[in-house]
Amino acid sequence: MRTHKSWYGVTMDNTAAWAGLLRVHAALVPVLDQELQAAHGLPLTWYDVLLELNSAKDRQLTMGELGAKAVVSRSRSSRVVDELTRAGLVERVANPADGRSAFARITAAGRARLRAAAPTYLAGIEAHFTSRMTAAEARTVATALEKVLKG
Amino acid sequence: MRTHKSWYGVTMDNTAAWAGLLRVHAALVPVLDQELQAAHGLPLTWYDVLLELNSAKDRQLTMGELGAKAVVSRSRSSRVVDELTRAGLVERVANPADGRSAFARITAAGRARLRAAAPTYLAGIEAHFTSRMTAAEARTVATALEKVLKG
DNA sequence: AGAAAGTGTGTGCGCACGCACCTAACAAGG
DNA sequence: CCTTGTTAGGTGCGTGCGCACACACTTTCT
């Protein structure tokens, strides 16, 4: 140990990657969220849930699946789906195979809203994140973080 | 565009890095926070603030500086310093050069607590994050994210 | 010096979030 | 069929968080 200054600090080489992740998250999430909300009235959470539903089989997911795939928790997902339902972007549909669970399915309006908002989000990611690094670095970051998730 | 499936989704190559960052953050922060809290009664926010103060000149920082450097906002930093003061890990000391501002300075007890907690945090980062990628990848992630912050 | 503009902090307030619990519905075993 | 255990989902509740405001002090300008 103690190969670098302040061995118990996140400024150490081994932990610089993690420290950077924390800072970048803290810095960029509010910016992207506000850009998205200002341009399309969509909170980042709504976008994430809509995206997950849209890419799912039959464009629907149970609450459990949604909570597992999305960034937010299951209980939070349930409330977000409530809001999205009130906004007409998602509909709750009963699960014939299991009376306990109900699917959340994205509506046509939801898909339209998602398609409209996507360019804004992508442009924000590009402007604030991806454009600050090389393409090779972006690929490395992606593969490294995916390996972290798989573990 | 449309070089990959679902061009408006974060699963696209260009945005995979950002998507991974969001997921990894959501997955790991609660884990590391609970590990740290279970072992040393330190929330991750406390650790971050203590670390920032400890590495600052004279081991003290104004609220504005702290809010800028730490992961949390300035207003939140003020309250965290309150809690840390109550716990005896930080003390508020008046700024002779400016009557409005007051420094938050880490105490000896605070430094001891930080040094005790550090191995746990570092081990957690290693176990859940760094060990899942190669050393070269970790370096690339670190440099890429630092470039994002500098921009 | 006095007034006006600017800047650093603390704090009331509302919002987003997750945990723990509760209920309803399935599954297993007699 | 009834009982017991298990699982999915909704919801009350506490908490962490940042915004916007208020206040105190400082700086600048006349």
Side-chain angles (χ1 to χ4, degrees):
Chain A
M1 281 284 187
R2 195 181 281 281
T3 53
H4 302 83
K5 60 170 181 171
S6 122
W7 65 271
Y8 51 86
V10 283
T11 55
M12 186 177 169
D13 278 8
N14 289 354
T15 59
W18 174 250
L21 188 141
L22 285 182
R23 313 281 158 158
V24 168
H25 178 94
L28 259 53
V29 167
V31 171
L32 290 173
D33 184 84
Q34 285 183 0
E35 284 181 0
L36 206 50
Q37 196 148 357
H40 299 94
L42 277 184
L44 194 51
T45 306
W46 286 26
Y47 187 93
D48 186 41
V49 167
L50 287 177
L51 185 66
E52 218 57 65
L53 290 178
N54 193 53
S55 62
K57 171 138 183 102
D58 292 333
R59 311 199 182 286
Q60 64 184 12
L61 245 42
T62 69
M63 291 301 143
E65 295 167 332
L66 189 55
K69 294 196 179 190
V71 175
V72 294
S73 71
R74 184 191 58 77
S75 67
R76 181 63 192 152
S77 295
S78 178
R79 287 194 169 95
V80 171
V81 167
D82 275 350
E83 302 167 18
L84 287 169
T85 301
R86 257 192 300 275
L89 306 180
V90 161
E91 56 184 354
R92 288 183 187 272
V93 38
N95 182 353
D98 190 334
R100 292 168 296 183
S101 91
F103 292 113
R105 179 189 298 168
I106 191 171
T107 65
R111 298 190 62 192
R113 196 75 171 280
L114 182 61
R115 291 184 54 164
T120 303
Y121 189 43
L122 291 183
I125 295 172
E126 174 70 17
H128 303 297
F129 187 70
T130 321
S131 70
R132 305 278 174 79
M133 60 185 77
T134 68
E137 283 173 330
R139 270 194 300 276
T140 301
V141 169
T143 59
L145 293 180
E146 270 163 28
K147 282 197 287 185
V148 170
L149 286 174
K150 294 303 177 188
Chain B
M1 282 286 185
R2 195 180 281 280
T3 52
H4 301 81
K5 60 169 181 170
S6 119
W7 64 272
Y8 51 87
V10 284
T11 54
M12 187 177 169
D13 277 8
N14 289 352
T15 58
W18 174 249
L21 188 142
L22 285 181
R23 312 283 158 154
V24 168
H25 178 95
L28 259 54
V29 166
V31 172
L32 292 173
D33 184 86
Q34 286 182 359
E35 285 182 359
L36 206 50
Q37 195 147 357
H40 297 95
L42 277 184
L44 194 53
T45 306
W46 287 26
Y47 186 94
D48 186 41
V49 167
L50 287 178
L51 184 68
E52 218 58 65
L53 290 178
N54 194 52
S55 62
K57 171 142 184 96
D58 291 334
R59 310 199 184 286
Q60 64 184 12
L61 245 41
T62 69
M63 291 302 140
E65 295 167 333
L66 189 55
K69 294 196 178 190
V71 175
V72 295
S73 72
R74 184 194 59 78
S75 67
R76 181 66 192 149
S77 294
S78 178
R79 288 193 168 96
V80 170
V81 167
D82 275 350
E83 302 168 17
L84 287 169
T85 301
R86 258 193 299 276
L89 307 180
V90 161
E91 56 185 354
R92 288 184 187 272
V93 37
N95 181 354
D98 189 333
R100 292 167 297 183
S101 99
F103 291 113
R105 179 188 298 168
I106 190 172
T107 65
R111 297 188 63 191
R113 197 72 172 280
L114 183 59
R115 290 185 55 164
T120 303
Y121 189 42
L122 291 183
I125 295 173
E126 174 70 17
H128 303 296
F129 187 70
T130 321
S131 70
R132 306 280 174 77
M133 60 185 78
T134 68
E137 284 173 329
R139 270 193 300 276
T140 301
V141 169
T143 59
L145 293 181
E146 270 163 27
K147 285 196 287 184
V148 170
L149 286 174
K150 295 300 178 188

